[in-house]
Amino acid sequence: MNPGFLQTPIAYLKGVGPNRAETLQSELGIHVYQDLLNLFPNRYIDKTKYHKINELQKSNADVQVIGKIVHLKTVAQKRGSRLVAKFVDDTGEMELVWFRSQKWIRENLKLNIPYVVFGRTNWYSGMFSMPHPEMELLTEHEKNLKVGMQPVYPSTEKLGNKGITNRVIGKLMQQLFLETKGKFQETLSDKLSYELKLLPKNESLFNIHFPKNQELLAKARFRLKFEELFYIQLQLIAKNMLHKQKIKGFNFDQVGTLFNAFYANHLPFELTGAQKRVIKEIRADLGSNAQMNRLLQGDVGSGKTIVAVMTMLLAMDNSFQACLMAPTEILANQHYQGISKLLEGTGVSCKLLTGSVKKSARKPIHEQLEDGTLHILIGTHALLEDKVKFKNLGLAIIDEQHRFGVAQRSKLWHKNDYPPHILVMTATPIPRTLAMSLYGDLDISVIDELPPGRKPIKTVHRYDGNRLKVFGFIRDEIKKGRQIYIVYPLIQESEALDYKDLMDGYESIARDFPQPEFQISIVHGKMKPPDKDYEMERFVSGKTQIMVATTVIEVGVNVPNASVMIIESAERFGLSQLHQLRGRVGRGADQSFCILMTSHKLSNEAKTRLETMVRTNDGFEIAEVDLKLRGPGDIMGTQQSGILNLKIADIVKDNEILKSARYYAMQLLKDDPSLEKPENLAMRHAYAQLIKYKNIWNYIS
Ligand code: ADP
Ligand code: MG
């Protein structure tokens, strides 16, 4: 089959036409034959099984039952009526129910003659009923060809309204196989197919749409999932390799006096093994002649800042400037404070640029950046303004990557004649599975070890009714000299209500913790940045003991003396957010606590989230649970990624297949980077097709 044939517009397929084509396009994204071929069933109905009525389960499954109608009646109801048949087999009875076409059915149904009925059962006041069953006389049924597994395709309301039912899709699929004779180009090499015992492409496509039996269906699914993940990985890895060849980077080949002097004289603590390893990985990138594009993952408190600082020193050692961009003013500020302190006595100059830096203060910053006397610039989005021009930007570090879009990343990139090395730091633990698929084109370093001496945070779940006890606990901790966070949810849709909750909470806390013995800070989104900073500063410097806040403090804020994190309405937070919030404590030497306050009304999912938080402090474990609960679509930063458009593979469930696909893609490209070898011809063609017709890069980055 000429592969171009599959690019025929779907309107040309017999049985489609312009009207249906439009609906197929808008509802299912089917533009050409190929798209229909790749519309894979969501599930299959097993029609090889016949159920006895007394075996039926209350779980609303699709079932097939043989029996007779012994009685037929019309029952009046609020609006109109329903037709009810009493249907029996030798084990029991159930009801068949119709709301539409009652007249026709009444006239055509035969009593006391065996039928095969098929449909979804409901358990309703002590009896199973099946609304609008598919029905066939047993004698007819036995004559017909048996369809073992009937595919159920994705559907939408509009498709239904336009008469494009599952049956119609099935028919179109048959037509497609007829027109193509079921012959499709093989897309994987013989070697790979042999090694992995994969079903050939033709058989896979046939069995996914018209499964002969369970076993072949399973094989078809495996093969198609593998193929899908394999080609995504192939493209990501190829892109990464290409990037390394083409995009030359500044070569930081000097490990010079600044880095070494800092290591010898200014390091405030011994680096952890993981920090050392990650710095080595970064150094290898910087000296490789290619532009670095690295994601640095490390749980909250794992010590990413020092890695950032040492990377910046490498830039200085090679006579380049560096910048660090943070998502909020508070964070940029903290970074600035912390990093300036680390750099004391090194001779490196460092300044802060955020939206609230005054015009008069900006001018010297701009000038010193341009003449190169300013080495490091830390700030927010303000760094992206056109006025900000570096003399020689060699390194851009982006903290908390998920707050920045790709467009912003590339804007930084264009600040200079050559792209700076890029280090993206994130505390959002992205499960490896997902990271592999989403950021296959970035290199990844992981700090998977916390600095020594940290005591794991104790986490408990308390109901609102126990508030007095919790307040008592807070009082004791404050007496010991500790500080407390109390966090309220803030969700856009209910902003006004949330704000009220926060204020009510604040008032009741202020009553229980009166001045002058207790001092309370409050920070929320409605405050002006300078007011926020003022309140933050009071808390950071220990002037206040309690910080009441919305989630603005979620990211990065570092107050080692704070040892208690109380999260109000914790059931309303997502797992990754809860974990981020908890990471605000446990930064000092003292035992820290996280108290999750909730009402008694909890969904199962909320319960799982709370239990997970209480059970573990491990960000990656939490991220895995999160991924399982919500699927990849809701994990931050994945919205625009192609991974959501997977046709058959499931990023969570097919983790093992993904790993294997990545492994084989890597092997292939190592062995034959441009897929020139004759044995890889099939894959070269498939790859070229993919690039030609569906450029995955467009939707991955
Ligand atoms: P994050 O990865 O969340 O940005 P930070 O870089 O803010 O973490 O580090 C958290 C805290 O741990 C800081 O107070 C920092 O000084 C401290 N820290 C970092 N690395 C080490 C280490 N190797 N030994 C001891 N303390 C460390
Ligand atoms: Mg940090």
Side-chain angles (χ1 to χ4, degrees):
M1 172 62 43
N2 168 10
F5 185 68
L6 287 177
Q7 300 306 322
T8 310
I10 196 67
Y12 292 104
L13 187 72
K14 197 174 155 219
V16 179
N19 278 337
R20 279 186 168 175
E22 205 186 296
T23 314
L24 287 171
Q25 239 170 63
S26 67
E27 295 302 291
L28 295 172
I30 296 176
H31 299 263
V32 296
Y33 283 19
Q34 174 95 59
D35 300 327
L36 179 64
L37 189 62
N38 287 340
L39 178 74
F40 297 129
N42 286 335
R43 60 193 175 92
Y44 298 83
I45 297 165
D46 188 352
K47 285 204 167 174
T48 57
K49 278 210 188 72
Y50 299 92
H51 290 264
K52 293 288 184 191
I53 291 175
N54 70 353
E55 296 168 354
L56 295 179
Q57 303 288 319
K58 288 176 194 168
S59 53
N60 302 54
D62 290 302
V63 291
Q64 190 165 238
V65 186
I66 302 173
K68 295 172 186 171
I69 296 173
V70 292
H71 180 72
L72 207 52
K73 66 178 177 196
T74 301
V75 181
Q77 56 183 44
K78 245 189 214 153
R79 255 171 287 152
S81 63
R82 64 178 189 271
L83 182 64
V84 179
K86 186 168 164 187
F87 188 73
V88 303
D89 69 1
D90 50 6
T91 69
E93 64 173 79
M94 62 186 281
E95 288 180 343
L96 310 177
V97 186
W98 293 266
F99 302 94
R100 303 183 299 265
S101 322
Q102 293 182 26
K103 185 165 174 281
W104 189 87
I105 287 161
R106 193 178 251 289
E107 282 165 8
N108 286 280
L109 277 187
K110 298 187 170 74
L111 293 189
N112 298 312
I113 298 210
Y115 272 102
V116 181
V117 302
F118 177 84
R120 184 157 286 202
T121 53
N122 296 322
W123 176 251
Y124 183 66
S125 60
M127 172 84 83
F128 282 105
S129 69
M130 190 186 281
H132 290 269
E134 285 176 25
M135 303 198 54
E136 202 171 24
L137 286 170
L138 182 60
T139 48
E140 291 294 316
H141 184 79
E142 281 169 343
K143 269 190 244 159
N144 284 341
L145 251 171
K146 291 271 177 307
V147 189
M149 316 277 284
Q150 185 175 304
V152 179
Y153 288 99
S155 182
T156 66
E157 206 181 325
K158 193 166 166 210
L159 280 171
N161 290 342
K162 297 252 174 176
I164 307 182
T165 59
N166 196 50
R167 240 178 111 113
V168 169
I169 303 251
K171 282 256 160 71
L172 296 178
M173 204 63 82
Q174 276 182 21
Q175 182 61 30
L176 181 65
F177 273 73
L178 209 69
E179 289 190 21
T180 55
K181 303 198 176 61
K183 295 229 181 320
F184 307 103
Q185 213 178 28
E186 182 52 62
T187 43
L188 294 173
S189 67
D190 292 346
K191 183 167 165 249
L192 206 53
S193 298
Y194 178 79
E195 237 172 274
L196 290 160
K197 300 193 178 58
L198 299 174
L199 211 57
K201 179 92 172 188
N202 286 336
E203 279 183 59
S204 304
L205 285 173
F206 184 83
N207 278 286
I208 204 80
H209 293 297
F210 313 102
K212 288 185 189 147
N213 55 47
Q214 288 281 7
E215 201 195 334
L216 278 169
L217 174 60
K219 285 191 165 167
R221 288 175 69 87
F222 181 84
R223 139 99 209 200
L224 293 169
K225 285 177 178 186
F226 179 86
E227 177 180 343
E228 180 168 45
L229 295 169
F230 178 81
Y231 277 101
I232 291 178
Q233 290 304 317
L234 201 65
Q235 289 177 77
L236 288 169
I237 296 165
K239 187 182 171 192
N240 187 316
M241 287 169 108
L242 201 70
H243 184 98
K244 285 195 174 145
Q245 281 167 13
K246 280 221 185 116
I247 304 194
K248 292 268 177 278
F250 302 118
N251 197 0
F252 291 4
D253 50 6
Q254 303 283 328
V255 176
T257 43
L258 281 172
F259 186 91
N260 287 329
F262 183 83
Y263 195 85
N265 308 322
H266 296 276
L267 209 55
F269 36 67
E270 178 77 13
L271 294 177
T272 63
Q275 285 169 324
K276 283 184 192 162
R277 190 190 65 236
V278 163
I279 291 174
K280 241 189 222 153
E281 287 165 357
I282 291 171
R283 269 172 60 175
D285 280 1
L286 297 179
S288 74
N289 275 317
Q291 185 221 11
M292 173 171 75
N293 234 327
R294 189 168 280 279
L295 179 70
L296 174 58
Q297 267 189 281
D299 212 342
V300 278
S302 61
K304 294 185 289 295
T305 313
I306 196 81
V307 173
V309 167
M310 295 181 74
T311 308
M312 294 199 274
L313 290 176
L314 283 171
M316 319 289 106
D317 269 339
N318 290 273
S319 314
F320 285 95
Q321 294 164 300
C323 70
L324 188 156
M325 189 157 77
T328 64
E329 293 225 355
I330 292 178
L331 254 183
N333 232 315
Q334 278 220 338
H335 270 309
Y336 174 68
Q337 308 284 344
I339 291 173
S340 306
K341 205 160 164 200
L342 283 169
L343 292 174
E344 256 167 38
T346 61
V348 173
S349 59
C350 172
K351 288 207 165 149
L352 177 72
L353 183 68
T354 64
S356 48
V357 170
K358 294 228 167 57
K359 231 185 178 166
S360 55
R362 285 182 189 223
K363 209 165 159 248
I365 293 179
H366 291 156
E367 285 167 7
Q368 291 167 12
L369 270 183
E370 284 201 66
D371 69 21
T373 47
L374 179 54
H375 303 124
I376 296 178
L377 185 63
I378 295 175
T380 52
H381 286 79
L383 300 195
L384 299 172
E385 284 163 15
D386 290 332
K387 282 217 180 95
V388 180
K389 291 196 191 80
F390 291 85
K391 177 176 184 221
N392 209 357
L393 181 66
L395 168 73
I397 300 181
I398 303 173
D399 197 15
E400 298 303 341
Q401 160 271 339
H402 57 264
R403 302 289 165 111
F404 289 104
V406 174
Q408 286 161 323
R409 251 203 271 165
S410 62
K411 195 156 182 202
L412 252 183
W413 179 299
H414 293 299
K415 284 266 155 203
N416 211 357
D417 294 346
Y418 297 101
H421 294 296
I422 304 256
L423 182 67
V424 176
M425 305 198 291
T426 177
T428 309
I430 306 162
R432 272 211 87 71
T433 340
L434 199 59
M436 249 191 242
S437 323
L438 291 175
Y439 305 109
D441 59 331
L442 290 186
D443 295 303
I444 300 177
S445 288
V446 183
I447 306 186
D448 51 6
E449 178 186 354
L450 290 180
R454 293 274 169 81
K455 293 195 183 74
I457 301 161
K458 284 193 184 142
T459 302
V460 294
H461 171 204
R462 293 285 179 265
Y463 291 107
D464 291 338
N466 289 337
R467 190 168 303 277
L468 281 183
K469 268 198 187 154
V470 172
F471 278 4
F473 176 75
I474 297 179
R475 208 164 280 127
D476 292 345
E477 285 293 303
I478 293 177
K479 282 208 186 102
K480 288 189 219 157
R482 308 284 124 75
Q483 288 165 283
I484 319 287
Y485 290 108
I486 304 179
V487 175
Y488 286 80
L490 185 83
I491 293 164
Q492 236 76 39
E493 298 93 75
S494 54
E495 201 176 327
L497 265 180
D498 283 337
Y499 183 68
K500 186 172 178 302
D501 281 355
L502 174 79
M503 283 310 172
D504 290 353
Y506 174 73
E507 271 166 31
S508 98
I509 292 158
R511 241 177 285 123
D512 273 70
F513 296 88
Q515 289 183 334
E517 193 186 351
F518 301 98
Q519 300 291 332
I520 306 175
S521 285
I522 180 163
V523 170
H524 56 78
K526 294 199 171 174
M527 289 163 67
K528 292 209 176 70
D531 299 339
K532 270 194 224 170
D533 288 352
Y534 173 76
E535 285 294 319
M536 255 337 278
E537 173 48 35
R538 292 210 308 148
F539 188 68
V540 172
S541 60
K543 292 190 188 88
T544 61
Q545 299 98 23
I546 301 178
M547 161 65 74
V548 177
T550 51
T551 44
V552 287
I553 60 151
E554 184 187 335
V555 195
V557 175
N558 191 16
V559 182
N561 190 48
S563 65
V564 183
M565 167 62 67
I566 296 175
I567 305 177
E568 295 285 347
S569 304
E571 70 271 30
R572 290 177 51 195
F573 289 88
L575 258 180
S576 73
Q577 228 180 352
L578 288 173
H579 180 65
Q580 290 285 328
L581 284 169
R582 177 169 61 183
R584 297 307 108 217
V585 297
R587 305 193 141 227
D590 306 305
Q591 176 64 55
S592 289
F593 304 87
C594 175
I595 305 176
L596 306 168
M597 304 293 300
T598 74
S599 68
H600 277 278
K601 258 203 220 151
L602 294 174
S603 69
N604 283 339
E605 220 191 283
K607 271 183 207 150
T608 307
R609 289 198 295 267
L610 297 165
E611 280 160 19
T612 305
M613 286 296 292
V614 171
R615 183 183 72 237
T616 180
N617 274 303
D618 179 344
F620 284 91
E621 191 181 335
I622 290 170
E624 295 283 356
V625 174
D626 201 25
L627 188 58
K628 280 188 187 129
L629 283 180
R630 301 192 300 164
D634 290 316
I635 305 268
M636 261 188 258
T638 66
Q639 275 82 350
Q640 282 90 33
S641 74
I643 215 67
L644 297 180
N645 303 332
L646 287 178
K647 297 228 172 341
I648 186 163
D650 178 316
I651 197 77
V652 181
K653 293 187 193 127
D654 299 323
N655 189 356
E656 290 305 313
I657 306 181
L658 171 62
K659 278 189 209 154
S660 140
R662 183 168 176 81
Y663 171 81
Y664 283 102
M666 199 103 81
Q667 293 305 312
L668 175 66
L669 286 174
K670 260 190 208 152
D671 174 58
D672 185 11
S674 34
L675 308 181
E676 285 165 346
K677 295 189 176 175
E679 68 260 32
N680 294 329
L681 193 67
M683 300 201 276
R684 186 164 96 209
H685 282 321
Y687 192 77
Q689 291 286 313
L690 212 61
I691 304 295
K692 188 166 167 198
Y693 294 115
K694 215 166 225 150
N695 191 343
I696 193 170
W697 302 358
N698 290 341
Y699 52 100
I700 281 204
S701 71

